[in-house]
Amino acid sequence: MAEKWETHPVTPDRFEDFADVINKNRRPTHCWCLSHRLQAREITELGGTGPHAREQAMRALCEREHPPGVVTYLDDEPVGWCNIGPRSEISRLAQSKLMRPVDDLPVWSIVCVVVRSGFRRRGVTAHLIEGAVAYAAAHGAPAVEAHPVDPGDQRMDLTMAFVGTRSMFERAGFSVVGTTDAVASKLPRLVMRRDLAS
């Protein structure tokens, strides 16, 4: 039987599916995919100061007009997460001195790509990026950008793998349009773009 792939924005009713991918045990101090998206004060404004502040802040983001990313499903099971949105709505990125925009185009930006443990090397990333691009396109994005690294033959630190690799995005139709002053795994981060305008 053919595999069934679907990708959907992480609206409030899909929050638990998102959490299953990135924080299966719901640990308050574990990643809630906010550190590269929000300033610390914004997390407090959205989620308060308690032990579950980061989770609550992420839940609040899911209620916005542009939920903060997409979840990919394989046969109805959540297997991947991509944090994506208009660059202008990702304050850490919009204000970054290291990852400046290459031009004035109101791009959407991919912040991270995560494949659920146990589902790596199953083709999840390709479906996830395509689903993220389709989500951006459906909301009128003229282009989607990512900031991966090009490790070549080097082994990448798995804690930084969320930024993605040049080859991963090239396979998804992205091209290098610039560089940044940021690094991940001691490697420079690129600016890669896929134009969506017809």
Side-chain angles (χ1 to χ4, degrees):
M1 194 166 108
E3 293 177 328
K4 182 178 80 168
W5 293 90
E6 294 180 17
T7 300
H8 299 283
V10 64
T11 46
D13 59 314
R14 294 186 186 276
F15 185 87
E16 298 303 327
D17 295 342
F18 149 77
D20 283 346
V21 174
I22 67 140
N23 194 346
K24 189 172 185 342
N25 297 318
R26 310 298 195 268
R27 290 177 292 188
T29 56
H30 192 67
C31 179
W32 284 104
C33 218
L34 292 172
S35 60
H36 287 73
R37 178 176 271 274
L38 298 179
Q39 307 283 359
R41 63 171 173 73
E42 293 175 299
I43 294 172
T44 301
E45 287 167 6
L46 289 170
T49 57
H52 298 284
R54 297 176 67 79
E55 177 184 350
Q56 293 307 320
M58 190 59 172
R59 285 184 183 275
L61 288 181
C62 294
E63 295 174 2
R64 291 186 171 177
E65 178 187 358
H66 300 131
V70 295
V71 178
T72 289
Y73 298 79
L74 171 57
D75 296 329
D76 298 320
E77 185 165 5
V79 295
W81 156 251
C82 179
N83 189 327
I84 182 176
R87 181 184 170 101
S88 61
E89 294 181 13
I90 303 171
S91 60
R92 284 289 295 272
L93 185 55
Q95 297 170 24
S96 175
K97 302 284 192 275
L98 300 176
M99 299 170 69
R100 295 177 295 278
V102 295
D103 54 31
D104 293 332
L105 198 67
V107 299
W108 279 44
S109 296
I110 290 176
V111 178
C112 71
V113 177
V114 178
V115 175
R116 187 176 183 177
S117 180
F119 290 91
R120 297 188 177 100
R121 302 191 184 284
R122 298 273 301 271
V124 175
T125 302
H127 290 279
L128 185 55
I129 294 174
E130 281 306 314
V133 169
Y135 168 52
H139 287 273
V144 175
E145 284 185 352
H147 301 92
V149 296
D150 187 359
D153 296 329
Q154 293 183 49
R155 191 166 182 82
M156 219 176 142
D157 177 354
L158 288 179
T159 61
M160 297 304 292
F162 69 88
V163 304
T165 63
R166 176 177 180 162
S167 60
M168 171 196 303
F169 284 99
E170 282 179 339
R171 286 192 297 271
F174 287 67
S175 302
V176 176
V177 294
T179 57
T180 75
D181 293 325
V183 296
S185 288
K186 300 180 181 173
L187 296 167
R189 294 182 69 177
L190 306 169
V191 184
M192 297 188 71
R193 180 180 286 181
R194 179 165 154 184
D195 291 317
L196 302 180
S198 53

